[in-house]
């Protein structure tokens, strides 16, 4: 059997894809219940990491107490953190900036925008849209939904936003909301649940790293998203 060229860690100190056994071993050695697997290519590793039952092209699955080729039982769908770590350790297929805008928040006209770069070809794509009566947070979520809908399923996405609401929701709050039946820690209903549910479904079809950028600080793609989103909102003021 060919030596694996990439390792997927579903449970360890850091989860995701690693390009050497040494890096993989750091995440699993001594970690209780660690789960990992070696693969010959990134596509197969991503399929396994995303819970595909037909990802049979990789090396046998192992645990922290066995050699990389030792077999183990199948695992459930990996946690959200697996996807974030995987995209952080392997170059992204798409780098996508997102932004949302609302001219009178809440209830005023708003817009959303994405600027997506296909890192394999260098192609830049811009998409934008708006709504006559919305909120800034809904436009931020809509932009992220459009970003992940744009990137083909199974690709690695570096997602950039200047919204702490969006980033924290995806990386810190979402799992708890779902566990509590879409209630916040204080028992009140989660706002914008319809959009969060769409976004949650899309995150499971990609390997994503999440990045926060400070808005209006000269980042060209962030500024471009802002311009496009505001332009869409302004269309409802004419």
């Amino acid at each position: 059997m060919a030596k694996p060229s990439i390792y997927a860690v579903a449970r360890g100190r850091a989860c995701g894809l690693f390009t050497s056994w040494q890096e993989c071993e750091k995440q699993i050695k001594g970690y209780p219940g660690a789960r990992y697997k070696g693969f010959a290519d990134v596509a197969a590793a991503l399929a396994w990491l995303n819970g595909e039952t037909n990802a049979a092209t990789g090396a046998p699955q192992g645990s922290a107490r066995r050699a990389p080729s030792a077999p183990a039982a199948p695992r459930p769908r990996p946690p959200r953190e697996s996807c974030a770590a995987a995209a952080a350790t392997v170059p992204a297929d798409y780098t996508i900036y997102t932004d949302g805008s609302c001219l009178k928040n809440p209830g005023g006209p708003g817009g959303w925008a994405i600027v997506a770069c296909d890192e394999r070809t260098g192609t830049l794509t811009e998409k934008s849209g708006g709504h006559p009566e919305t909120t800034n947070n809904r436009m931020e979520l809509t932009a992220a939904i459009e970003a992940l809908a744009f990137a083909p399923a199974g690709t690695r996405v570096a997602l950039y936003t200047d919204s702490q609401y969006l980033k924290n929701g995806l990386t810190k709050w979402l799992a708890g909301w779902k566990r509590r039946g879409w209630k916040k820690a204080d028992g009140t209903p989660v706002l914008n649940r319809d959009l969060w549910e769409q976004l949650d479904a899309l995150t499971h079809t990609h390997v994503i790293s999440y990045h926060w950028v400070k808005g209006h600080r000269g980042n060209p793609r962030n500024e471009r998203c802002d311009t496009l989103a505001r332009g869409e909102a302004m269309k409802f003021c004419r």
Side-chain angles (χ1 to χ4, degrees):
M1 180 181 295
K3 182 179 179 180
S5 61
I6 192 162
Y7 296 87
V9 177
R11 185 175 180 183
R13 293 180 181 86
C15 300
L17 302 186
F18 298 88
T19 55
S20 71
W21 168 244
Q22 289 74 21
E23 286 301 313
C24 175
E25 188 177 31
K26 289 178 184 178
Q27 316 311 321
I28 63 172
K29 189 173 182 180
Y31 190 92
R35 308 283 288 176
Y36 69 91
K37 193 174 182 180
F39 293 86
D41 60 76
V42 171
L46 289 176
W48 181 82
L49 196 59
N50 281 312
E52 296 290 343
T53 58
N54 62 348
T57 57
Q61 185 174 334
S63 73
R65 296 181 176 82
R66 297 179 230 175
S69 60
R75 62 165 191 86
R77 179 180 292 277
R80 182 180 308 278
E81 290 78 5
S82 300
C83 296
T89 56
V90 178
D93 299 311
Y94 290 87
T95 299
I96 309 181
Y97 281 74
T98 71
D99 200 13
S101 176
C102 188
L103 301 184
K104 183 183 178 182
N105 190 50
W112 60 267
I114 71 170
V115 175
C117 178
D118 184 335
E119 298 293 352
R120 299 164 296 185
T121 65
T123 302
L124 278 177
T125 301
E126 297 180 346
K127 293 186 66 179
S128 59
H131 195 279
E133 186 174 343
T134 187
T135 68
N136 186 76
N137 283 341
R138 287 190 69 82
M139 291 295 92
E140 295 283 4
L141 294 176
T142 300
I145 289 169
E146 293 288 342
L148 297 182
F150 171 79
T155 54
R156 301 178 298 274
V157 178
L159 189 69
Y160 286 79
T161 176
D162 60 13
S163 169
Q164 291 282 12
Y165 174 70
L166 172 63
K167 183 176 184 293
N168 287 336
L170 287 169
T171 61
K172 298 179 180 180
W173 305 332
L174 189 56
W177 289 343
K178 292 166 63 179
R179 195 166 54 245
R180 292 187 293 267
W182 291 98
K183 298 289 181 64
K184 294 189 288 186
D186 62 4
T188 59
V190 172
L191 298 177
N192 306 311
R193 174 178 172 176
D194 58 327
L195 298 180
W196 282 116
E197 288 182 322
Q198 292 181 55
L199 195 51
D200 180 40
L202 284 166
T203 60
H204 290 298
T205 65
H206 300 77
V207 174
I208 309 167
S209 62
Y210 302 98
H211 307 269
W212 181 79
V213 294
K214 195 171 183 64
H216 310 291
R217 290 297 185 273
N219 183 298
R221 293 183 187 175
N222 174 259
E223 296 287 354
R224 179 57 178 164
C225 280
D226 180 71
T227 298
L228 290 170
R230 287 181 174 274
E232 293 289 347
M234 289 295 294
K235 291 178 181 179
F236 298 103
C237 299
R238 296 169 186 170

